[in-house]
Amino acid sequence: MYVYAAALDISEAFDTVCHTKLFKCLVDTGVPGWIILVIKNWYSKLCVAVRWIDAISGFFNVKSGARQGSILSPRLFTVLINIVIVKLKDSDVGCFINNIYIGCILYADDITVLSATVSGLQEMLNICNNTILDMDLSFNCKKSVCIRFGPVCKYTITDMYIGSSTITWCNSIRYLGVNIKPGSCFKVDTDIVRKKFFASGNVIFGNSVHQTELLRLNLMLFIANTSVLCSCH
């Protein structure tokens, strides 16, 4: 079984969302018109000013981007970016398990596409690029990488393309805080997470010198038990 994957990064995804494209997606998705009008009214009143030391500029309207910190923004962005999954699924390119399409794994603006062939992966990259460009967004090719799983991982493969830019094959990718390594099977590298955990644990333990011995012992046991769990996973 061979699986070729590409982890794609959208440049400043939330900050560059085109409001016109977003509202059109909401209409195409079937969101009730009155809800779209309310959201459109909110976004039409977005304005900001720039502060430099003690000087403040005049206010100007913001015509792109999802509102930072809003509980609604991730959901709106999901409606917009779901077009990528639909396009890929309709193309019938990518991985399937029991006729269930898993060619695209997506969380917010973190996109991972999976294919059983290199040519299929390139076709998926072309679809992703064309779809993202239609949304007035773009991929950051410097942060986008490819990775492969299966016996083929030991062979050299030419770089893939997003538009006219290349993305290279790498020895690991980081997806939602998890480091994934290539190999004959799916592997997860927990070394980085464990190092950060031990560093944080040492800081906590070091700052507890004035606490009771029982509390320090419980902290030590907690760190030891958690490290065993990390090792098991």
Side-chain angles (χ1 to χ4, degrees), residues 103-114:
C104 181
I105 302 173
L106 189 150
Y107 184 84
D109 60 335
D110 292 316
I111 305 174
T112 300
V113 292
L114 307 169

Side-chain angles (χ1 to χ4, degrees), residues 22-23 38 45 54 61 65 72 88 97 102 110 113 121 134 152 178 183 191 194 222 233:
L22 174 60
F23 299 144
V38 170
K45 297 177 180 178
D54 294 329
N61 292 328
L72 185 62
L88 290 172
I97 295 181
I102 58 166
D110 292 316
V113 292
L121 180 62
D134 288 340
V152 75
V178 178
D191 287 344
R194 291 178 63 192
F222 173 78
H233 288 79

Side-chain angles (χ1 to χ4, degrees), residues 27-43:
V27 173
D28 295 340
T29 307
V31 177
W34 68 271
I35 295 180
I36 298 176
L37 290 176
V38 170
I39 297 174
K40 189 175 181 180
N41 180 267
W42 288 347
Y43 274 76

Side-chain angles (χ1 to χ4, degrees), residues 175-219:
Y175 186 75
L176 300 181
V178 178
N179 291 287
I180 304 172
K181 300 178 65 175
S184 57
C185 60
F186 183 84
K187 296 180 180 179
V188 175
D189 183 11
T190 60
D191 287 344
I192 296 178
V193 176
R194 291 178 63 192
K195 289 178 181 178
K196 290 183 178 179
F197 170 77
F198 285 132
S200 300
N202 289 334
V203 171
I204 295 174
F205 192 71
N207 289 327
S208 63
V209 292
H210 300 297
Q211 303 300 322
T212 64
E213 292 185 359
L214 180 59
L215 177 59
R216 287 168 59 81
L217 178 60
N218 286 330
L219 283 173

Side-chain angles (χ1 to χ4, degrees), residues 16-59:
T16 55
V17 170
C18 175
H19 292 170
T20 302
K21 300 283 185 180
L22 174 60
F23 299 144
K24 183 179 183 303
C25 287
L26 293 175
V27 173
D28 295 340
T29 307
V31 177
W34 68 271
I35 295 180
I36 298 176
L37 290 176
V38 170
I39 297 174
K40 189 175 181 180
N41 180 267
W42 288 347
Y43 274 76
S44 67
K45 297 177 180 178
L46 289 178
C47 57
V48 297
V50 178
R51 179 177 180 179
W52 179 258
I53 309 178
D54 294 329
I56 299 179
S57 71
F59 285 88

